Amino acid sequence: MGAGLGLCRCSCSGGARDDLPVIILRGSAEDRGMVHGLMLKERIYRSWNFYHKLFRTVGWIDDEIKSAVLSVWAVLQQKHLKKYATEIECIAKASGLELWKILALNCRTELIVARRTASDTKKNDDEDDGECTTLYAPTANILAQNWDWEKELESLYVIMKIQYDDGHRIVMITEPGIIGKIGLNSAGVGVALNLIAHNPIAKQWGGAGRNRFEGCVPIHILLRIALDSKSASQGVKRIKTQKRSVASMSCISLADRKSRHTMLELLGDTVEAVGAGASNPDLRDVLVHTNHYLGCGMENLKTGTDGSYARQSRGCALMAQMSGELDVEAIKSILKDQQGQYPILRPYKPHLLLGLENAGTCCAVVMDLENGRMHVTNGSPIDHDYFVFRC
């Protein structure tokens, strides 16, 4: 079993967190899962406690969660997905946390979205806005995003480096117990994520199927599948062929060193490519994605908060202003933009709908695909510096 755990250190002004754990996984799926579970055991338990509370907030009880995630487990037994099932199973064994709970962490997007509805006392969710903004700079071949979530996650997320026996490598930011998230690989493929479905319209989409999300490949496994791909186009094809759920409403952005990018919007069986890979010419020049649909037949409906539309508009304006200077530092400055009522960099504030005390930008991720480097802040970019990781 080959692996290592190191701590990177930097001097960050104003932040309480000085260490960003880096876990290195090598060998078989069993090896990777066992080391993940052993090295991150305490963090995995903390992550479960956070999400278990959130699952209950949106209306799940444990027996329902078990039923839902075990239907996902059945799908993961397929030959091409079995390695992910093995990795998850070994995380559970090594950490001592029950398998269904590790599965639930990897299904956390679906569990939250499936039961998330707007409060009856509000007309919309705009005061609860606070999700991710993704940018792609084609001339510099940079894929970047702010990860907006609860401040508590600042002290939990880690950098995970995966080294396969065939030489394929991944570096990603992820949450303990979750095997796929935001990152890039040695083939120059970068992957980012935006969730969708944040206003009252969303609760009507998908009906009972959304509430159960039975038998799907969850978003965080789709992200790992993309990171295991040798090109952005291969990642797009692989995602399209998986069984998906309406509860996985989101946009997975993929790009690679050949300056190809696709922002792949998912709505159950419906998939729409936005960006250079779009079949619709009106969507080919899109370089910014937030938390509403630009395609999937939903473009004429309001499918996000006012904040989502404001952040996309602001991001597009800044990208246009800096079009000749879109290097790593310029992208970082856009992600740090705090102008307007709904800025790209979200300050921490209560998220009433989900009962979160401090929702906002947890960190920024800037992926230099050409040079194989991932820049990650050690907390909110408001007062934390970037670490740089080479894939």
Side-chain angles (χ1 to χ4, degrees), residues 271-314:
V271 179
E272 177 98 39
V274 176
S279 57
N280 182 345
D282 293 337
L283 297 176
R284 287 178 186 160
D285 294 329
V286 175
L287 301 175
V288 180
H289 208 293
T290 53
N291 309 106
H292 59 275
Y293 283 106
L294 302 176
C296 286
M298 309 297 288
E299 55 271 21
N300 295 321
L301 296 174
K302 186 187 179 194
T303 56
T305 63
D306 288 348
S308 179
Y309 289 90
R311 284 181 285 113
Q312 193 203 25
S313 178
R314 177 64 175 165

Side-chain angles (χ1 to χ4, degrees), residues 25-36 87 164 224:
L25 307 180
R26 304 185 184 96
S28 66
E30 291 89 346
D31 290 342
R32 296 192 299 270
M34 292 299 292
V35 171
H36 183 156
E87 200 165 320
Y164 289 101
R224 178 64 174 273

Side-chain angles (χ1 to χ4, degrees), residues 1 3-7 17 19-25 31-49 87 90-97 102 105-106 153 155-162 172-181 224:
M1 184 186 299
L5 176 66
L7 291 177
R17 185 182 183 192
D19 301 322
L20 182 54
V22 181
I23 183 170
I24 302 172
L25 307 180
D31 290 342
R32 296 192 299 270
M34 292 299 292
V35 171
H36 183 156
L38 286 169
M39 293 290 190
L40 298 178
K41 179 176 180 177
E42 184 267 341
R43 289 172 183 265
I44 290 170
Y45 276 78
R46 288 169 56 197
S47 183
W48 166 251
N49 289 335
E87 200 165 320
C90 289
I91 292 171
K93 288 179 180 178
S95 68
L97 199 63
I102 300 296
L105 289 176
N106 284 275
L153 275 297
S155 64
L156 281 178
Y157 67 80
V158 302
I159 299 298
M160 188 168 290
K161 292 189 172 186
I162 301 173
M172 65 180 176
I173 172 176
T174 192
E175 299 163 84
I178 295 178
I179 68 169
K181 201 168 174 68
R224 178 64 174 273

Side-chain angles (χ1 to χ4, degrees), residues 210-232:
R210 174 181 169 226
N211 282 280
R212 292 192 306 266
F213 75 89
E214 292 180 352
C216 69
V217 179
I219 279 294
H220 286 279
I221 307 298
L222 294 178
L223 293 170
R224 178 64 174 273
I225 289 171
L227 287 168
D228 280 340
S229 300
K230 303 297 185 183
S231 67

Side-chain angles (χ1 to χ4, degrees), residues 12 16 19 44 62 70 73 81-82 89 106 115-116 132 152 172 200 240 255 261 270 292 294 330 348 373 383 385 387:
C12 298
D19 301 322
I44 290 170
D62 286 357
L70 289 177
W73 180 250
L81 298 171
K82 183 65 176 176
E89 185 175 26
N106 284 275
R115 296 292 174 88
R116 180 174 180 167
C132 310
E152 184 176 340
M172 65 180 176
K240 285 182 174 180
H261 84 289
T270 303
H292 59 275
L294 302 176
Y348 284 121
R373 293 187 175 93
D383 52 16
D385 295 332
F387 287 140

